[in-house]
Amino acid sequence: MKNSYIIIAALAVAACAPKAPLGLKDVLGDKFLVGTALNEQQIRHQDPKADSIVALHFNAIVPENCMKHAELHPKEDEYNFELADKFVEYGEAAGLTMTGHCLVWHSQTGRWMFFDDKGELASPELLKQRMKDHITTVMTRYKGKLKGWDVVNEAIMEDGSYRKSLYYQILGEEFIPWAFQCAHEADPDAELYYNDYGMNLEGRRNGVVRLIRQLKERGLRIDAVGMQGHMGMDYPTVDEFRASMDAFIAEGVDVMITEWDMSANPTETQSADVGETQRLRMSMWTVAPEEREAIRQELLARLCPYSDGLPEDVSAEWNARMRAFTDLFIEYADHITRVTAWGITDATSWKNGFVVPGGTDYPLLFDREYNAKPFVNQLIEDYK
Ligand code: XIL
């Protein structure tokens, strides 16, 4: 008798206890992985509120910078795995799915890769050997811990041609299949991805489709295409984005949204026309330092006008656009394996200073006070 009182009392307490809040991963996790990028401070657990957001909302992480070539491999005979190891410890301790970013990219890559000891452009053989060494060393270290890797990042231009990076200048288009081959040999169980931005553009879409076919024709592994998803208020359209997803899926690969953020600022500079703003932007770096500040202020006023807070109407439009893209991702859940935001809160987004140094932007899922944006709360409400 006494026991049943205890059970009833316990049930009553449980029923009245406040329910644990639900996060994005709880409501969308059956459709795809829900991820975020971590910066150094977050990896080192120096941002406890960010830690709580990760724990509640995300089940996947990617390093924002610390696994890039120049970070891991500053000199030919010197690797620095300190922060990358911490990233992996973070993910393992929290049971998060981890992705590596990135093995081959024209940016944030040690210059030494491309030059021999006489300072001449490296020979094709030397660059191939260095690529193999880098890819093998890095992937072997994290074998079995990361689900997959962005093997090649941003190699195709808007018109579908190859970016004329130093990799391309030395090896031609062969550098891409070579990277995928080395990656597969280093860790046959790892998923391998091609990752790029502006994937909605028809030229790049077609270029990436050609690349997937080329890799598959050679029998090389490619599991998914990463569509970075750096967006703005007027680009891309949902339909263009959908068309690119359709095109990639038709080639037999999955799609991942790998670096999602949406600038809330005006997007004058996206115009193909090199207009006044663009000229001003360029001139910032060529004028004398004393003239620079005036130009920076003018650019801030045009391109980052919301330094004191986002106006209500812009915020409403931003939230509606983020929801429209989320709806698209949910519709394609059978083919989308991961949706990853490029950071946690607006305060630390790379977008703040991307267009104009010292700018303010509002591109992420959480605001500067660590609050979820309205569309995030609405999603949790709609899918709980
Ligand atoms: C960005 C980081 O967010 C910044 O912190 C860094 O200064 C530059 O790189 N495409 C990519 C990412 O693949 O690695 C870039 O990340 C953003 C664009």
Side-chain angles (χ1 to χ4, degrees):
M1 194 59 185
K2 199 168 158 205
N3 274 352
S4 43
Y5 281 131
I6 293 171
I7 291 168
I8 289 166
L11 286 174
V13 169
C16 297
K19 287 215 181 74
L22 290 175
L24 278 174
K25 68 165 169 27
D26 302 313
V27 298
L28 299 179
D30 60 337
K31 306 182 195 320
F32 35 67
L33 289 163
V34 187
T36 186
L38 297 188
N39 66 23
E40 176 166 1
Q41 209 196 358
Q42 292 150 357
I43 293 168
R44 295 192 188 283
H45 295 283
Q46 290 163 351
D47 187 351
K49 287 185 176 166
D51 273 347
S52 311
I53 290 183
V54 175
L56 177 58
H57 290 282
F58 297 106
N59 55 19
I61 52 171
V62 59
E64 185 174 355
N65 285 301
C66 73
M67 284 191 177
K68 290 173 181 173
H69 182 285
E71 303 292 322
L72 287 180
H73 203 170
K75 294 184 192 149
E76 182 154 26
D77 54 2
E78 186 184 312
Y79 279 92
N80 177 5
F81 289 114
E82 195 262 334
L83 194 57
D85 286 356
K86 288 234 155 46
F87 167 83
V88 173
E89 279 168 32
Y90 188 121
E92 284 189 321
L96 306 169
T97 300
M98 292 177 269
T99 305
H101 172 81
C102 51
L103 296 166
V104 173
W105 189 24
H106 65 277
S107 184
Q108 291 180 275
T109 296
R111 288 280 295 175
W112 62 264
M113 275 291 274
F114 307 108
F115 297 92
D116 63 18
D117 49 15
K118 293 189 209 72
E120 313 271 336
L121 211 55
S123 67
E125 294 69 35
L126 181 60
L127 181 57
K128 279 179 91 172
Q129 188 53 50
R130 285 175 173 168
M131 288 172 71
K132 191 175 174 64
D133 287 348
H134 178 79
I135 293 171
T136 308
T137 306
V138 174
M139 286 187 71
T140 305
R141 187 172 184 95
Y142 300 117
K143 214 174 188 157
K145 300 186 173 180
L146 305 191
K147 180 165 192 223
W149 275 92
D150 292 336
V151 179
V152 176
N153 197 28
E154 302 183 350
I156 304 289
M157 302 300 283
E158 266 182 49
D159 63 359
S161 66
Y162 285 89
R163 180 186 297 277
K164 306 299 176 284
S165 65
L166 283 163
Y167 282 112
Y168 183 85
Q169 288 175 40
I170 297 171
L171 286 173
E173 39 192 88
E174 275 307 302
F175 85 89
I176 302 180
W178 177 245
F180 277 83
Q181 185 183 325
C182 294
H184 187 54
E185 283 167 9
D187 183 356
D189 294 328
E191 291 191 352
L192 306 182
Y193 317 127
Y194 175 75
N195 193 53
D196 214 328
Y197 66 89
M199 294 285 246
N200 52 298
L201 301 172
E202 198 183 344
R204 187 171 282 119
R205 174 196 305 152
N206 295 336
V208 172
V209 163
R210 278 195 296 274
L211 178 62
I212 302 167
R213 286 186 190 161
Q214 193 194 72
L215 292 172
K216 288 198 167 222
E217 271 160 23
R218 295 204 191 183
L220 292 166
R221 175 170 187 168
I222 172 165
D223 294 273
V225 163
M227 301 173 75
Q228 291 184 1
H230 297 296
M231 303 179 175
M233 295 298 278
D234 54 8
Y235 69 94
T237 67
V238 169
D239 286 344
E240 292 167 342
F241 208 86
R242 176 196 294 277
S244 292
M245 292 203 298
D246 286 338
F248 302 145
I249 292 163
E251 298 304 315
V253 293
D254 287 326
V255 166
M256 299 178 310
I257 315 305
T258 51
E259 304 182 17
W260 197 25
D261 56 21
M262 184 183 290
S263 171
N265 284 329
T267 53
E268 256 178 294
T269 49
Q270 288 297 323
S271 143
D273 174 39
V274 180
E276 177 58 14
T277 311
Q278 192 67 338
R279 270 195 293 276
L280 263 177
R281 244 191 115 191
M282 301 309 288
S283 69
M284 249 195 90
W285 309 111
T286 49
V287 296
E290 57 275 17
E291 288 170 56
R292 204 169 285 159
E293 184 52 20
I295 295 179
R296 193 179 75 89
Q297 289 300 340
E298 186 173 345
L299 284 170
L300 283 175
R302 283 183 199 211
L303 298 174
C304 306
Y306 311 129
S307 54
D308 295 333
L310 199 58
E312 216 29 68
D313 58 333
V314 182
S315 167
E317 204 184 321
W318 183 92
N319 277 282
R321 255 178 82 66
M322 290 297 279
R323 177 60 189 251
F325 277 98
T326 313
D327 288 344
L328 178 72
F329 304 156
I330 291 171
E331 185 188 331
Y332 278 72
D334 287 349
H335 299 283
I336 293 189
T337 47
R338 175 167 60 93
V339 176
T340 289
W342 201 239
I344 300 175
T345 79
D346 289 342
T348 50
S349 166
W350 74 303
K351 278 291 177 83
N352 288 304
F354 180 61
V355 179
V356 189
T360 305
D361 205 344
Y362 302 82
L364 288 172
L365 278 52
F366 297 85
D367 68 20
R368 286 175 168 73
E369 280 72 51
Y370 297 84
N371 294 316
K373 301 270 178 85
F375 95 97
V376 172
N377 290 327
Q378 192 61 50
L379 272 173
I380 295 171
E381 192 54 32
D382 292 349
Y383 284 92
K384 71 183 181 197

